[in-house]
């Protein structure tokens, strides 16, 4: 069984005002098949955690470790992490002009599998996944994220999640900017991916809204660069009622 | 991450053209631009405004020595090719290799050939220098209505400073693709005249895959007859300094042109193209699309796109665009679109220019999907340039160019 294990992770970022400490000792273990929700106020470091797992060069790991099935993720390049089975659904996916969705998906799949997918089944899989996410066929020939609406970008992220079949996926505020219909479609996609591959999920969100459709096994409250409290799904309900106020004393980082 | 370049648009005023005959001529008017000293700061001097009014001459002595401050030269490293602008050039025949095709003749013709000078005349010193010296012109003459293709290759020009002249004529109703392939070393200034008769359909591809040391200055002059269509493609990948300036006159009603460009500058390379489209007849149509990539220290590209819609050109439709993709630090891309309109009765006239960077966020996104950095670059560049490649219309050449572009990417990685 796969395990993603984050231990005492400290991360800083360079800003104009100098080095800023963002993560201050994060400990978190996710087993295959588990859904963990990380909730927290703005500026608490949730996205930093997501990008650090994926290996964004902006974030500097000062200490700690991230182990995937015993291998140190922090020593891997960004692309090696993806090939090892990690996936990050981004909050603001960038546009890649000149590269069509079809071309991009096939290139990514080939990179991750180490060989090109069999053409016939691949086309079928892509079509099926796009159908499920109510993505129009014309998406396939559009350039990646170019001119996509917010909802389309998020669907495109989940499309990749379904097709690339990672062991662990981090969803960074995938619910933000989605209306309720789009939220349902995207959530169904995530649930389908989990049902099909049994992946482990780290769901990063500010709101409890998405948790109505994707049911977490564990909820962690993230404040000031570390996990302040954890519990089961009932913790999310409590946050829904009370908000983050009781965690916000004395300060947060941003 | 993307920067639009300078735009200029001018509804042209009625500058009295100083008795310049229609297609331009070699006669001189005292005080005309290009003859006297540079005009900067001279009070009361009215500079040439309309693009078609630029001074033209086939006589090199009519142009002052090139300083690099002239409008046509100011983006070019002129000190590196003074031989081509100042010295007497070798105008002898050179070796060509040509595929053969029925209804296309390739031959050397004397300077007295009636077609010479009918498509255009030099507007700068290197072009005039070449014009003055060629012994014979290479003439590629297309007839026959069936589609066909020919490739004329120059690979053994060597490093002698040369001047050359080429005529490509498509007879009325004829159809062909003419590929001019350039490899090996060269120091050459040349003029290429492209003449399209009524309803001709011609594609001309100028392919620059020179050695790293080559210097190539070319002016292409095209004249397009009634209802004729010219697709003109400039592909510059290899060479030290490559400057290919196509100048197209839409001379007949209903004439149509598509000007495509594709360039990839790597470290130290200077690739330049000054594109000029003159709508000189009603219902004429033009599209200009140049795309370039830059990678490596001092990779430099220049694109200037002038479109002039003359007062005879009612009902015309034009659009020009230039896009540059910057792949590394230390590069410079100049992109200068100019649009000049002398009639209000047009269907459309537009231009666009953008220079974008392949940035770290794009790289991160692709890498986060398992794609290596090298593959990510290849994916983006291929995607960016493919749009132009696919419009060339010669499957064999398109396939070869895709490979050549990938070789560029890998080649520069090694440097």
């Amino acid at each position: 069984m796969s395990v993603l294990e984050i231990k005492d992770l400290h991360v800083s970022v360079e800003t104009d005002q100098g080095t800023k400490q963002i993560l201050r000792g994060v400990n978190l273990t996710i087993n295959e098949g588990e859904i963990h929700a990380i909730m927290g106020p703005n500026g608490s470091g949730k996205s930093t955690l997501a990008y650090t797992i994926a290996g964004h060069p902006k974030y500097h790991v000062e200490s700690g470790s991230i182990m995937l099935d015993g291998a140190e993720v922090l020593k891997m390049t960004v692309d090696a992490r993806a090939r090892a089975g990690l996936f990050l659904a981004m909050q603001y996916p960038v546009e890649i002009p000149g590269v069509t969705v079809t071309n991009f998906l096939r290139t990514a799949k080939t990179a991750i599998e180490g060989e090109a997918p069999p053409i016939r089944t691949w086309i079928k899989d892509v079509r099926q996944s796009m159908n499920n996410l109510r993505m129009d066929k014309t998406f396939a020939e559009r350039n990646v994220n170019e001119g996509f609406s917010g909802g389309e970008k998020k669907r495109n992220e989940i499309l990749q999640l379904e097709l690339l079949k990672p062991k662990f996926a981090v969803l960074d505020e995938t619910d933000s900017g989605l209306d309720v219909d789009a939220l349902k479609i995207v959530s169904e996609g995530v649930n389908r991916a989990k049902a099909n591959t049994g992946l482990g999920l780290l769901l990063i969100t500010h709101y409890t809204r998405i948790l109505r459709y994707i049911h977490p096994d564990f909820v962690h409250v993230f404040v000031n660069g570390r996990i302040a409290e954890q519990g089961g799904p009932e913790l999310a309900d409590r946050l829904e009622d009370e908000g983050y106020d009781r965690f916000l004393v004395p300060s947060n980082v941003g | 991450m993307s920067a639009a370049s300078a735009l200029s648009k001018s509804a042209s005023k009625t500058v009295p053209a100083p008795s310049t005959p229609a297609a331009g001529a070699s006669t001189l008017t005292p005080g005309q631009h290009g003859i006297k000293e540079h005009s900067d700061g001279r009070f009361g001097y009215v500079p040439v405004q309309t693009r078609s009014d630029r001074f033209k001459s086939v006589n090199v002595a009519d142009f002052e020595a090139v300083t690099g401050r002239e409008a046509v030269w100011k983006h070019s490293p002129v000190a590196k090719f003074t031989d081509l602008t100042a010295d007497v050039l070798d105008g002898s025949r050179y070796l060509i290799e040509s595929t053969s095709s029925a209804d296309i003749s390739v031959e050397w013709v004397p300077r007295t050939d009636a077609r010479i000078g009918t498509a255009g005349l030099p507007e700068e010193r290197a072009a005039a220098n070449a014009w003055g010296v060629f012994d014979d012109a290479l003439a590629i003459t297309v007839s026959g209505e069936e589609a066909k293709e020919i490739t004329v290759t120059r690979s053994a020009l060597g490093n002698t400073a040369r001047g050359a002249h080429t005529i490509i004529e498509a007879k009325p109703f004829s159809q062909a693709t003419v590929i001019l392939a350039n490899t090996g070393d060269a120091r050459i200034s040349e003029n290429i005249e492209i003449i399209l008769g009524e309803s001709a359909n011609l594609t001309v591809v100028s392919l620059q895959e020179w050695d790293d040391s080559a210097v190539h200055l070319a002016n292409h002059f095209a004249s397009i007859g009634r209802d004729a269509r010219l697709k003109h493609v400039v592909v510059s990948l290899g060479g030290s300094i490559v400057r290919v300036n196509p100048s197209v006159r839409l001379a007949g009603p209903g004439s149509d042109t598509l000007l495509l460009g594709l360039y990839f500058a790597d470290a130290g390379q200077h690739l330049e193209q000054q594109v000029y489209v003159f709508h000189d007849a009603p219902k004429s149509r033009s599209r200009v699309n140049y795309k370039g990539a830059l990678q490596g220290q001092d990779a430099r590209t220049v694109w200037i796109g002038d479109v002039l819609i003359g007062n005879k050109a009612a009902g015309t439709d034009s659009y020009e665009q230039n896009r540059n993709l910057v792949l590394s630090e230390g590069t410079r891309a100049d992109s200068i679109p100019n649009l000049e309109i002398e009639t209000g009765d047009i269907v459309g006239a537009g231009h666009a220019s953008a220079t974008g960077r392949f940035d770290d966020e794009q790289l991160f996104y692709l890498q986060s999907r398992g794609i290596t950095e090298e593959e990510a670059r290849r994916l983006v560049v291929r995607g960016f340039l493919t749009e132009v490649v696919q419009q060339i219309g010669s499957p064999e050449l398109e396939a070869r160019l895709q490979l050549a572009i990938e070789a560029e990417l890998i080649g520069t990685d090694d440097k």
Side-chain angles (χ1 to χ4, degrees), chain B residues 327-408:
Chain B
L327 295 166
S328 74
E329 299 290 324
T331 68
R332 174 171 167 177
D334 288 82
S335 180
I336 308 166
N338 298 301
L339 177 57
E340 205 179 337
I341 307 175
E342 294 178 332
T343 174
D345 178 15
I346 55 171
V347 174
H351 55 190
S353 161
T355 298
R357 231 174 89 82
F358 175 55
D359 66 21
D360 295 342
E361 293 303 321
Q362 291 170 330
L363 179 61
F364 173 71
Y365 188 80
L366 293 170
Q367 281 188 289
S368 78
R369 301 310 185 234
I371 300 167
T372 62
E373 176 168 357
E374 191 187 317
E375 179 70 16
R377 282 180 185 279
R378 194 179 303 159
L379 192 65
V380 167
V381 173
R382 194 195 292 157
F384 178 74
L385 296 177
T386 289
E387 183 201 348
V388 172
V389 175
Q390 283 173 345
Q391 290 182 71
I392 295 174
S394 168
E396 211 171 295
L397 179 60
E398 288 173 17
R400 201 160 78 67
L401 284 178
Q402 294 286 17
L403 293 175
I405 290 165
E406 308 214 341
E408 281 287 319

Side-chain angles (χ1 to χ4, degrees), chain A residues 79 98 140 156 185 190 201 204 235:
Chain A
D79 46 300
N156 189 36
I185 290 167
V190 174
L201 282 168
I204 290 177
L235 184 53

Side-chain angles (χ1 to χ4, degrees), chain B residues 275 277 286-290 303-307 318-322 336-339 349-353:
Chain B
V275 184
V277 179
S286 69
R287 289 288 181 276
V288 178
N289 188 11
Y290 271 65
W303 178 85
I304 300 174
D306 295 338
V307 174
S318 70
Y319 195 85
E320 59 167 349
Q321 75 162 351
N322 175 226
I336 308 166
N338 298 301
L339 177 57
H351 55 190
S353 161

Side-chain angles (χ1 to χ4, degrees), chain A residues 9-206:
Chain A
L9 189 65
H10 288 74
V11 173
S12 65
V13 59
E14 294 302 320
T15 69
D16 294 341
Q17 287 81 44
T19 304
K20 189 171 158 184
Q21 200 64 39
I22 299 190
L23 299 188
R24 302 157 192 265
V26 178
N27 291 290
L28 182 64
T29 299
I30 304 172
N31 294 305
E32 192 183 310
E34 291 177 356
I35 300 179
H36 292 244
I38 289 199
M39 305 189 64
N42 291 327
S44 57
K46 304 187 301 288
S47 284
T48 298
L49 177 62
Y51 279 92
T52 303
I53 294 170
H56 194 289
K58 182 175 145 193
Y59 300 98
H60 177 66
V61 177
E62 304 202 318
S63 62
S65 79
I66 301 175
M67 305 295 278
L68 174 60
D69 297 336
E72 179 54 83
V73 169
L74 294 173
K75 288 184 183 153
M76 301 179 193
T77 59
V78 176
D79 46 300
R81 294 177 197 207
R83 292 195 296 271
L86 296 178
F87 181 88
L88 169 62
M90 299 191 199
Q91 186 178 2
Y92 302 111
V94 296
E95 298 182 357
I96 314 284
V99 180
T100 62
V101 170
T102 302
N103 190 5
F104 167 64
L105 290 173
R106 197 178 46 235
T107 306
K109 185 68 178 176
T110 303
I112 282 173
E113 299 291 322
E115 59 180 353
I119 194 84
R120 197 171 302 171
T121 52
W122 173 245
I123 290 173
K124 209 177 99 227
D125 290 350
V126 172
R127 204 168 286 163
Q128 182 64 47
S129 295
M130 288 181 65
N131 251 335
N132 291 339
L133 290 164
R134 321 278 200 284
M135 293 172 81
D136 192 87
K137 265 189 268 179
T138 56
F139 264 89
E141 293 315 312
R142 287 170 68 184
N143 291 333
V144 177
N145 294 321
E146 200 176 64
F148 285 22
S149 70
E152 288 169 344
K153 284 182 181 171
K154 296 298 171 69
R155 285 184 219 195
N156 189 36
E157 294 294 284
I158 303 308
L159 176 67
Q160 295 166 50
L161 173 69
E162 284 201 56
L163 291 168
L164 300 181
K165 302 189 184 349
K167 291 180 189 163
F168 291 95
V170 181
L171 309 187
D172 186 16
E173 310 239 0
T174 293
D175 50 338
S176 69
L178 294 182
D179 63 30
V180 67
D181 293 328
L183 182 61
K184 281 182 191 168
I185 290 167
V186 161
S187 301
E188 280 169 23
V190 174
N191 289 330
R192 204 163 39 237
K194 180 167 178 286
N196 287 338
T197 66
L199 83 167
L201 282 168
L202 185 59
L203 202 62
I204 290 177
T205 181
H206 184 84

